[in-house]
Amino acid sequence: MEITGKSKIMFVLADPVDHVRASAILNSHFASIGEDIVTSPLHVRPQGLPAVIAAIRCMDNVVGFGVTIPHKVAVMPLLDDVTPNACAIGAVNFVKRTRDGRLIGDNMDAPGFIAALLKYQYTVAGKRVLQLGAGGAGRATALAIAQAGAAELQIANRDAEKAHALAEAIQALCPQAKVVASAEPAETFDLIVNTTSLGMKPGDELPVDISRIGTSTIVYDIVVNPAVTPLIEIARQRGARTIGGKAMLDEQMVLVADFIKQ
Ligand SMILES: NC(=O)c1ccc[n+]([C@@H]2O[C@H](COP(=O)([O-])OP(=O)(O)OC[C@H]3O[C@@H](n4cnc5c(N)ncnc54)[C@H](OP(=O)(O)O)[C@@H]3O)[C@@H](O)[C@H]2O)c1
């Protein structure tokens, strides 16, 4: 990769920064589609975020930047506009810098989640879905699942209050969907989505009782690293179809490339 004065620049703002993989995935995606855009992680602490955003406004060859933990919510008031999708999710994970320096935030988690399902020719419409987790990514996936026409979405979370609050919020945004918080649903589902961070560390417990996984269940684990989590491994052993988190991340990169060009 040759970076020249003609190259367009992107950043990924994070704290800590060591775990950031989106920059490498973006770089290989841009190279594969012949775009002269290069991305670098930037270690930005929370107190430095406003100054960094102000500086990026002055950098004419910067076309956009990703934001990850802990900046996804804090960046919102520092931008000029936020898409309705990002507003509904309550967080931004990519920002486009227009030619006149305006900063527009969007959230690619929800469309990336659905695009990966579609790539495998799996649909959500009419399906009974169990989502594990009610954190930042879980809010995006729950909205995506409800908007995609699931027959029912049950949300289970370690902190049950958060599951209730998320179910209520998604139900209010998508009145046509049936969204409930659920403690221990004793049944199988068409689609089980893990949005907890369980599976990232060796020795993590499984996020769900495996009896909920039937042979026709699709198990979608959004954890990116490791690529094959214990949940995915067990689901495969039980004959279920599986999708890992990299598929969702890859689809987000395609969406980012389109977003910054619009
Ligand atoms: N593939 C992708 O494109 C993509 C995109 C975004 C995120 N992710 C992945 O999604 C995962 C969650 O990210 P996030 O941003 O949503 O994090 P987050 O906001 O911190 O939420 C973490 C979620 O995991 C649950 N959790 C954490 N530790 C747990 C434990 N020991 N037992 C049970 N539940 C536990 C939390 O439950 P409590 O509410 O009870 O704490 C919460 O629901 C991470 O692995 C992240 O890398 C993937």
Side-chain angles (χ1 to χ4, degrees), residues 69 72 109 133-138 157-159 162 195-198 200 222-224 245 248-249 252:
I69 292 168
K72 286 183 175 188
D109 278 339
N157 191 50
R158 175 177 62 178
D159 178 343
K162 276 170 71 179
T195 73
T196 76
S197 36
L198 288 174
M200 294 177 79
I222 75 162
V223 167
V224 179
M248 173 173 161
L249 195 59
Q252 292 201 57

Side-chain angles (χ1 to χ4, degrees), residues 178-248:
K178 182 180 172 196
V179 187
V180 290
S182 170
E184 282 290 328
E187 52 206 306
T188 58
F189 288 83
D190 300 316
L191 172 64
I192 295 178
V193 181
N194 177 41
T195 73
T196 76
S197 36
L198 288 174
M200 294 177 79
K201 294 197 299 291
D204 273 353
E205 61 186 283
L206 287 172
V208 68
D209 180 336
I210 58 167
S211 66
R212 312 298 180 246
I213 305 172
T215 49
S216 61
T217 305
I218 297 164
V219 175
Y220 191 162
D221 193 340
I222 75 162
V223 167
V224 179
N225 198 9
V228 179
T229 59
L231 175 64
I232 293 272
E233 208 164 282
I234 281 187
R236 285 180 184 164
Q237 284 164 14
R238 292 178 69 83
R241 291 163 291 169
T242 60
I243 310 181
K246 185 163 183 303
M248 173 173 161

